[in-house]
Amino acid sequence: MYKNVFTSISENLELPKANKYYKISKQNNRSSQDIMTFASEDAFLIESSDKISHAYMFATPLNEEFTDFVAQSTFVPTLWNMVLYAQNLAKPFLFMNDNAFVDLSLYTDNLKSEIISLKQKDIEIIPQMTMESSHKGFKIQNQIKKDGYYSIFDGENKISELALNYPRQESDLRFLNSNDIEKQLEKSGYKNINVFNDRKMIGTYFADSKKGFDFTYLILSLLVLCIIGESLVLWKMKNK
């Protein structure tokens, strides 16, 4: 409910208070969970799931006599996300290596055939049918190797479309740290390899590598010897 709502949580975050509230009794035959609770662990806001939808219930009316929730920073994102997540919606796309469950009840209320197929031009796939939470659906399970838009057919009737994309691992910007890289290099048998943690270390390394054995003084010495030798030759030739 509150994923990506706050960038950080401060210790002095002001939370809603309630002067009066009704204690919510939960039914065992319904799937529900607490979204917000009081210090007494009684529910302030609960979510109840039924078939393909979600219902939300507050333990108190939303007016000043009962609670200051409407004046808190959590009020707007709570109502916004309640509307956003109140109904399960079909995913518009999947990755071909994603083994996610495709719930057919999100596309149609009544399946007329036992055979569900995915079609794209000359490609036709009959996916493996399965049940999850009493909902009928299917999983791709790497059966499709070409991306694009695939039509979902219930027998001969087209009920929806599904976009399938290639995996996006190359877009994952998480990197190994220097310790992990060193371990991988050791496992691979690489030796005489340096791993640098930051740019300063790289600059220092190249500065040290430039020092090494300095040929400057040797070249200057050879130059002086050549000048002396040439001078001696010219002096001897002049005397002759």
Side-chain angles (χ1 to χ4, degrees):
M1 177 68 75
Y2 298 103
K3 184 179 180 181
N4 299 324
V5 172
F6 301 103
T7 56
S8 61
I9 304 296
S10 60
E11 294 182 358
N12 58 348
L13 176 67
E14 186 176 2
L15 298 173
K17 300 178 179 64
N19 301 318
K20 306 174 184 178
Y21 69 91
Y22 297 97
K23 189 168 183 177
I24 301 175
S25 60
K26 301 176 184 178
Q27 298 180 7
N28 295 329
N29 60 345
R30 286 187 176 244
S31 175
S32 63
Q33 62 176 332
D34 297 339
I35 303 299
M36 300 180 71
T37 59
F38 295 105
S40 62
E41 296 186 356
D42 290 335
F44 174 71
L45 170 62
I46 69 167
E47 174 207 19
S48 179
S49 301
D50 184 15
K51 294 184 179 179
I52 60 172
S53 62
H54 303 270
Y56 299 91
M57 179 184 292
F58 287 96
T60 174
L62 300 180
N63 56 49
E64 295 181 355
E65 180 184 355
F66 284 85
T67 179
D68 64 349
F69 180 54
V70 294
Q72 300 299 322
S73 59
T74 53
F75 176 70
V76 172
T78 299
L79 262 63
W80 176 270
N81 287 334
M82 283 169 59
V83 174
L84 188 63
Y85 301 122
Q87 183 177 6
N88 289 332
L89 300 176
K91 291 184 178 180
F93 70 92
L94 290 174
F95 294 116
M96 284 183 284
N97 64 339
D98 189 357
N99 200 30
F101 175 71
V102 179
D103 189 353
L104 290 172
S105 63
L106 301 178
Y107 301 100
T108 180
D109 295 330
N110 184 24
L111 292 174
K112 299 179 181 179
S113 172
E114 293 295 327
I115 300 178
I116 303 298
S117 60
L118 301 176
K119 297 180 181 180
Q120 184 204 71
K121 295 182 179 179
D122 57 341
I123 300 176
E124 182 176 356
I125 301 294
I126 299 178
Q128 178 185 356
M129 300 298 293
T130 184
M131 297 284 290
E132 284 193 9
S133 302
S134 68
H135 294 168
K136 194 173 185 178
F138 63 87
K139 294 184 178 181
I140 302 298
Q141 294 188 336
N142 294 318
Q143 288 181 277
I144 297 177
K145 305 300 181 183
K146 182 181 178 181
D147 68 336
Y149 292 96
Y150 287 80
S151 299
I152 305 176
F153 280 84
D154 176 15
E156 297 297 327
N157 299 318
K158 179 180 174 181
I159 59 177
S160 186
E161 289 198 357
L162 180 66
L164 294 176
N165 296 329
Y166 292 115
R168 295 293 186 264
Q169 280 87 351
E170 69 273 12
S171 301
D172 190 350
L173 300 180
R174 292 174 296 178
F175 302 100
L176 297 175
N177 57 38
S178 58
N179 293 329
D180 294 332
I181 294 174
E182 289 176 351
K183 291 178 181 178
Q184 292 294 334
L185 290 172
E186 290 178 2
K187 289 181 180 179
S188 301
Y190 291 102
K191 298 180 180 180
N192 300 323
I193 295 178
N194 295 319
V195 179
F196 302 106
N197 291 320
D198 53 44
R199 294 184 177 181
K200 292 182 179 179
M201 291 183 63
I202 298 175
T204 304
Y205 174 79
F206 282 108
D208 292 341
S209 65
K210 286 181 179 179
K211 293 178 182 178
F213 181 77
D214 201 342
F215 288 93
T216 305
Y217 296 106
L218 178 59
I219 293 173
L220 289 174
S221 300
L222 291 174
L223 180 59
V224 171
L225 290 175
C226 290
I227 293 174
I228 294 173
E230 185 178 0
S231 300
L232 288 173
V233 171
L234 291 174
W235 179 73
K236 288 184 178 181
M237 291 178 61
K238 185 177 181 181
N239 288 341
K240 289 182 179 179

